[in-house]
Amino acid sequence: MIPVNELRAGNLFIGVGMIQTVKEILDYGSTGSIQKINKTNVEATPGYTHLILVEENGNQYKPVDMLPIILTPEILQGCRDYDKNRGLQIQPGDYPHGDLFIDFVNNGDCYLQNCSDGYWFGKPIKHFHRLQNLYLDLTEKELTYNPIKNGLSKV
């Protein structure tokens, strides 16, 4: 399960054994039901406050039915700005201390690194949607990644 507060439009996740893309996060509202989706009434399951609408097929998922994509070196290497010697390069617009990089370190975890001092910091980045969110927060751009091209269309 992925907590709804970690999701935004554009995040990738695993649903029904395939990589899916969040199109929209739909709020059930206080009554526990969605008013209308694509001109069709949809009833909410009690106990859920959101549905996740996906781009690929228009399906809706409950957050409990969504699995995070575990971040691996192969997935990180499939990102457009990945450099095999330094990791995924991030160029924050207003960060005065140079570029940042994200890569796996010797213990097998993925961290953010400040290239000016070489220190890894923060908590490990374990899931791809968290990497997408961090990248967007720091650069104000979407992380470019093609799951089909990189062999991740099915899990």
Side-chain angles (χ1 to χ4, degrees):
M1 180 177 131
I2 301 175
V4 172
N5 64 350
E6 291 184 10
L7 291 172
R8 63 171 179 79
N11 280 146
L12 299 180
F13 69 96
I14 300 169
V16 267
M18 295 186 67
I19 303 295
Q20 305 279 337
T21 308
V22 174
K23 181 176 183 178
E24 188 176 353
I25 300 170
L26 305 168
D27 190 353
Y28 278 5
S30 59
T31 62
S33 63
I34 294 176
Q35 299 304 318
K36 288 193 175 187
I37 299 176
N38 297 333
K39 301 180 183 176
T40 306
N41 289 325
V42 176
E43 297 207 10
T45 304
Y48 295 98
T49 58
H50 296 85
L51 279 178
I52 309 304
L53 183 66
V54 299
E55 286 183 9
E56 288 76 12
N57 55 19
N59 285 346
Q60 300 152 13
Y61 290 86
K62 298 174 213 158
V64 73
D65 296 331
M66 300 169 57
L67 298 173
I69 298 169
I70 304 299
L71 189 57
T72 64
E74 295 77 22
I75 291 174
L76 192 62
Q77 292 164 10
C79 297
R80 185 187 70 189
D81 294 326
Y82 184 83
D83 177 287
K84 65 179 180 174
N85 296 317
R86 301 190 80 180
L88 177 64
Q89 182 176 8
I90 298 177
Q91 298 174 317
D94 58 356
Y95 185 67
H97 305 292
D99 292 344
L100 301 171
F101 291 88
I102 294 176
D103 208 355
F104 283 83
V105 296
N106 294 339
N107 70 356
D109 287 332
C110 187
Y111 286 95
L112 183 65
Q113 178 189 34
N114 180 339
C115 70
S116 65
D117 61 20
Y119 288 107
W120 298 98
F121 55 91
K123 293 200 259 183
I125 304 165
K126 302 253 183 210
H127 301 122
F128 188 71
H129 71 278
R130 289 186 172 178
L131 174 65
Q132 287 180 294
N133 294 344
L134 178 62
Y135 191 90
L136 180 68
D137 287 346
L138 293 173
T139 66
E140 298 180 356
K141 297 176 185 173
E142 286 290 339
L143 178 61
T144 303
Y145 183 82
N146 183 341
I148 306 298
K149 178 182 171 192
N150 291 292
L152 294 173
S153 62
K154 295 200 180 208
V155 180

